Amino acid sequence: ARLKARLVAKGYAQVYGTDYCETFSPVAKMTSIRLFISLAATHSWELHQLDIKNAFLHGDLKEEVYVEQPPGFVAQGEQGKVCRLKKSLYGLKQSPRAWFGKFSQVIEKFGIIKSNFDHSVFYKISREGIILLVVYVDDIVITGSDKKGIVDLKTFIQAQFHTKDLGDLKYFLGIEVIRDNGHIFM
Protein backbone atom coordinates (compact mmCIF):
# COMPACT_ATOMS: atom_id res chain seq x y z
CA ALA A 1 0.00 0.00 0.00
CA ARG A 2 1.17 3.51 -0.77
CA LEU A 3 1.26 6.19 1.85
CA LYS A 4 0.16 9.64 0.80
CA ALA A 5 0.53 12.99 2.49
CA ARG A 6 -1.30 16.12 1.42
CA LEU A 7 -1.03 19.69 2.66
CA VAL A 8 -4.52 20.77 3.67
CA ALA A 9 -5.49 24.34 4.53
CA LYS A 10 -7.42 25.17 7.69
CA GLY A 11 -10.49 26.31 5.77
CA TYR A 12 -12.62 26.28 8.92
CA ALA A 13 -10.79 29.44 9.98
CA GLN A 14 -11.72 31.34 6.80
CA VAL A 15 -13.99 34.35 7.13
CA TYR A 16 -16.70 35.02 4.52
CA GLY A 17 -16.09 38.30 2.70
CA THR A 18 -12.45 38.44 3.83
CA ASP A 19 -10.88 35.16 2.78
CA TYR A 20 -13.50 34.06 0.26
CA CYS A 21 -16.69 35.27 -1.37
CA GLU A 22 -18.10 32.47 -3.50
CA THR A 23 -17.98 28.77 -2.71
CA PHE A 24 -20.65 27.39 -5.04
CA SER A 25 -19.36 25.05 -7.71
CA PRO A 26 -21.79 23.46 -10.15
CA VAL A 27 -22.10 19.70 -10.17
CA ALA A 28 -24.00 17.72 -12.76
CA LYS A 29 -27.67 17.08 -12.11
CA MET A 30 -28.70 13.43 -11.88
CA THR A 31 -31.26 13.97 -14.65
CA SER A 32 -28.44 15.19 -16.92
CA ILE A 33 -26.29 12.18 -16.07
CA ARG A 34 -29.15 9.76 -16.78
CA LEU A 35 -29.91 11.54 -20.06
CA PHE A 36 -26.20 11.49 -20.92
CA ILE A 37 -25.96 7.70 -20.39
CA SER A 38 -29.30 7.14 -22.14
CA LEU A 39 -28.07 8.99 -25.24
CA ALA A 40 -24.96 6.81 -25.30
CA ALA A 41 -27.11 3.68 -24.93
CA THR A 42 -29.57 4.75 -27.62
CA HIS A 43 -26.83 5.52 -30.15
CA SER A 44 -24.43 2.72 -29.06
CA TRP A 45 -21.72 5.26 -28.23
CA GLU A 46 -18.77 4.36 -26.05
CA LEU A 47 -18.65 5.88 -22.56
CA HIS A 48 -15.17 6.90 -21.38
CA GLN A 49 -14.34 7.79 -17.78
CA LEU A 50 -11.45 9.96 -16.58
CA ASP A 51 -10.40 10.97 -13.10
CA ILE A 52 -8.43 14.16 -12.49
CA LYS A 53 -5.81 13.57 -9.82
CA ASN A 54 -5.53 16.25 -7.12
CA ALA A 55 -8.12 18.33 -8.98
CA PHE A 56 -8.45 21.10 -6.40
CA LEU A 57 -4.73 21.88 -6.62
CA HIS A 58 -5.24 23.13 -10.19
CA GLY A 59 -7.60 25.95 -9.24
CA ASP A 60 -6.33 29.53 -9.44
CA LEU A 61 -7.18 31.68 -6.43
CA LYS A 62 -8.62 35.15 -7.02
CA GLU A 63 -8.56 36.09 -3.33
CA GLU A 64 -5.46 36.75 -1.23
CA VAL A 65 -5.09 33.69 0.99
CA TYR A 66 -2.22 33.14 3.40
CA VAL A 67 -1.27 29.94 5.25
CA GLU A 68 1.24 29.20 7.95
CA GLN A 69 4.24 27.20 6.86
CA PRO A 70 3.54 23.53 7.52
CA PRO A 71 5.28 22.03 10.58
CA GLY A 72 8.50 20.33 9.56
CA PHE A 73 8.71 22.31 6.32
CA VAL A 74 9.55 25.78 7.62
CA ALA A 75 12.14 27.45 5.39
CA GLN A 76 15.44 28.11 7.17
CA GLY A 77 15.56 31.64 8.50
CA GLU A 78 11.90 32.18 7.60
CA GLN A 79 10.29 31.14 10.90
CA GLY A 80 7.12 33.06 11.74
CA LYS A 81 6.44 33.98 8.12
CA VAL A 82 3.40 32.88 6.11
CA CYS A 83 2.92 31.76 2.50
CA ARG A 84 0.61 33.45 0.03
CA LEU A 85 -1.30 30.89 -2.03
CA LYS A 86 -1.72 31.33 -5.75
CA LYS A 87 -3.33 27.92 -6.25
CA SER A 88 -6.12 26.38 -4.23
CA LEU A 89 -5.53 23.72 -1.61
CA TYR A 90 -7.79 21.05 -0.21
CA GLY A 91 -9.60 22.46 2.79
CA LEU A 92 -10.21 25.96 1.38
CA LYS A 93 -13.86 26.85 1.02
CA GLN A 94 -13.34 28.22 -2.50
CA SER A 95 -11.31 25.25 -3.82
CA PRO A 96 -14.22 23.48 -5.60
CA ARG A 97 -15.21 26.72 -7.35
CA ALA A 98 -11.60 27.52 -8.30
CA TRP A 99 -11.11 24.01 -9.74
CA PHE A 100 -14.32 24.11 -11.77
CA GLY A 101 -13.42 27.57 -13.11
CA LYS A 102 -10.00 26.34 -14.19
CA PHE A 103 -11.45 23.17 -15.78
CA SER A 104 -14.09 25.17 -17.69
CA GLN A 105 -11.50 27.65 -18.90
CA VAL A 106 -9.14 24.91 -20.13
CA ILE A 107 -11.80 22.71 -21.73
CA GLU A 108 -13.29 25.64 -23.66
CA LYS A 109 -9.88 26.12 -25.33
CA PHE A 110 -10.53 22.76 -27.03
CA GLY A 111 -13.69 24.24 -28.56
CA ILE A 112 -16.07 22.64 -26.10
CA ILE A 113 -19.16 24.69 -25.19
CA LYS A 114 -20.76 24.78 -21.74
CA SER A 115 -24.45 23.88 -21.70
CA ASN A 116 -26.82 26.65 -20.62
CA PHE A 117 -29.09 24.10 -18.92
CA ASP A 118 -26.49 22.28 -16.83
CA HIS A 119 -23.14 24.01 -16.41
CA SER A 120 -21.41 20.67 -15.75
CA VAL A 121 -22.31 19.39 -19.22
CA PHE A 122 -20.16 20.41 -22.18
CA TYR A 123 -20.51 19.64 -25.89
CA LYS A 124 -18.86 20.10 -29.26
CA ILE A 125 -20.61 19.65 -32.59
CA SER A 126 -18.59 19.28 -35.78
CA ARG A 127 -18.86 17.65 -39.21
CA GLU A 128 -17.43 14.48 -37.70
CA GLY A 129 -20.19 14.27 -35.08
CA ILE A 130 -20.78 15.29 -31.50
CA ILE A 131 -18.73 15.06 -28.31
CA LEU A 132 -20.48 15.22 -24.94
CA LEU A 133 -18.69 15.63 -21.62
CA VAL A 134 -20.08 15.69 -18.09
CA VAL A 135 -17.98 16.58 -15.04
CA TYR A 136 -18.82 15.81 -11.43
CA VAL A 137 -16.13 17.39 -9.23
CA ASP A 138 -13.05 15.49 -10.53
CA ASP A 139 -14.78 12.67 -12.40
CA ILE A 140 -15.35 13.08 -16.13
CA VAL A 141 -17.44 11.01 -18.52
CA ILE A 142 -17.13 11.49 -22.28
CA THR A 143 -19.30 10.09 -25.06
CA GLY A 144 -20.39 10.94 -28.57
CA SER A 145 -20.24 9.94 -32.20
CA ASP A 146 -16.91 11.67 -33.03
CA LYS A 147 -14.48 8.89 -32.02
CA LYS A 148 -11.34 10.72 -33.22
CA GLY A 149 -12.51 13.90 -31.51
CA ILE A 150 -12.98 11.98 -28.24
CA VAL A 151 -9.44 10.57 -28.46
CA ASP A 152 -8.11 14.08 -29.16
CA LEU A 153 -10.12 15.49 -26.24
CA LYS A 154 -8.80 12.83 -23.84
CA THR A 155 -5.24 13.54 -25.01
CA PHE A 156 -5.84 17.28 -24.54
CA ILE A 157 -7.20 16.84 -21.01
CA GLN A 158 -4.32 14.52 -20.09
CA ALA A 159 -1.84 17.15 -21.33
CA GLN A 160 -3.46 19.82 -19.13
CA PHE A 161 -4.06 17.85 -15.92
CA HIS A 162 -2.63 14.74 -14.27
CA THR A 163 -5.36 12.34 -15.32
CA LYS A 164 -6.14 8.69 -14.81
CA ASP A 165 -7.98 7.07 -17.72
CA LEU A 166 -10.45 4.64 -16.14
CA GLY A 167 -11.46 3.17 -19.51
CA ASP A 168 -15.08 2.27 -20.23
CA LEU A 169 -17.62 3.62 -17.75
CA LYS A 170 -18.73 0.93 -15.35
CA TYR A 171 -20.01 2.80 -12.31
CA PHE A 172 -20.78 6.50 -11.87
CA LEU A 173 -22.60 8.22 -9.00
CA GLY A 174 -24.52 5.13 -7.98
CA ILE A 175 -25.38 4.12 -11.54
CA GLU A 176 -23.94 0.83 -12.73
CA VAL A 177 -23.38 0.68 -16.48
CA ILE A 178 -23.24 -2.73 -18.16
CA ARG A 179 -22.35 -3.20 -21.81
CA ASP A 180 -23.61 -6.40 -23.47
CA ASN A 181 -23.21 -7.08 -27.20
CA GLY A 182 -22.76 -3.39 -27.85
CA HIS A 183 -25.84 -2.40 -25.81
CA ILE A 184 -25.65 -0.35 -22.63
CA PHE A 185 -27.79 -1.10 -19.58
CA MET A 186 -28.15 1.03 -16.48
Side-chain angles (χ1 to χ4, degrees):
R2 296 182 337 194
L3 300 175
K4 294 182 182 182
R6 179 179 288 151
L7 177 63
V8 177
K10 297 178 183 175
Y12 59 81
Q14 289 184 286
V15 177
Y16 177 77
T18 303
D19 300 316
Y20 69 96
C21 294
E22 290 286 335
T23 60
F24 175 77
S25 176
V27 292
K29 300 170 188 157
M30 283 307 290
T31 53
S32 297
I33 292 167
R34 285 190 182 107
L35 178 62
F36 193 87
I37 295 171
S38 295
L39 278 170
T42 301
H43 296 289
S44 298
W45 294 337
E46 295 176 355
L47 284 159
H48 304 268
Q49 186 173 14
L50 302 173
D51 180 66
I52 306 295
K53 295 187 176 189
N54 300 313
F56 287 1
L57 303 181
H58 295 286
D60 299 317
L61 291 176
K62 295 178 183 170
E63 306 85 3
E64 279 191 29
V65 178
Y66 297 91
V67 294
E68 296 173 355
Q69 295 182 65
F73 293 95
V74 177
Q76 268 188 337
E78 304 291 329
Q79 293 83 0
K81 292 189 177 181
V82 295
C83 302
R84 179 177 178 200
L85 297 178
K86 294 183 179 183
K87 296 279 189 180
S88 62
L89 285 179
Y90 284 84
L92 293 177
K93 295 189 184 296
Q94 65 267 50
S95 290
R97 183 178 185 84
W99 152 245
F100 185 81
K102 178 68 170 197
F103 179 77
S104 297
Q105 181 184 28
V106 167
I107 205 73
E108 287 172 356
K109 288 180 183 173
F110 187 80
I112 300 279
I113 300 167
K114 188 186 306 180
S115 167
N116 290 328
F117 302 103
D118 187 336
H119 294 289
S120 293
V121 175
F122 298 81
Y123 65 94
K124 180 178 182 179
I125 300 171
S126 66
R127 285 186 197 155
E128 291 77 26
I130 188 168
I131 301 171
L132 299 170
L133 179 148
V134 65
V135 60
Y136 192 91
V137 186
D138 62 350
D139 292 315
I140 297 168
V141 179
I142 303 170
T143 192
S145 60
D146 182 359
K147 290 183 181 185
K148 183 187 179 317
I150 290 171
V151 170
D152 293 345
L153 175 60
K154 287 171 64 173
T155 302
F156 176 80
I157 292 171
Q158 290 167 340
Q160 303 297 317
F161 307 108
H162 191 176
T163 306
K164 183 174 183 179
D165 189 341
L166 301 174
D168 291 336
L169 181 67
K170 292 175 184 60
Y171 195 80
F172 189 66
L173 299 176
I175 300 171
E176 185 176 10
V177 178
I178 300 168
R179 185 176 288 274
D180 184 34
N181 294 329
H183 298 349
I184 298 173
F185 301 97
M186 295 190 292

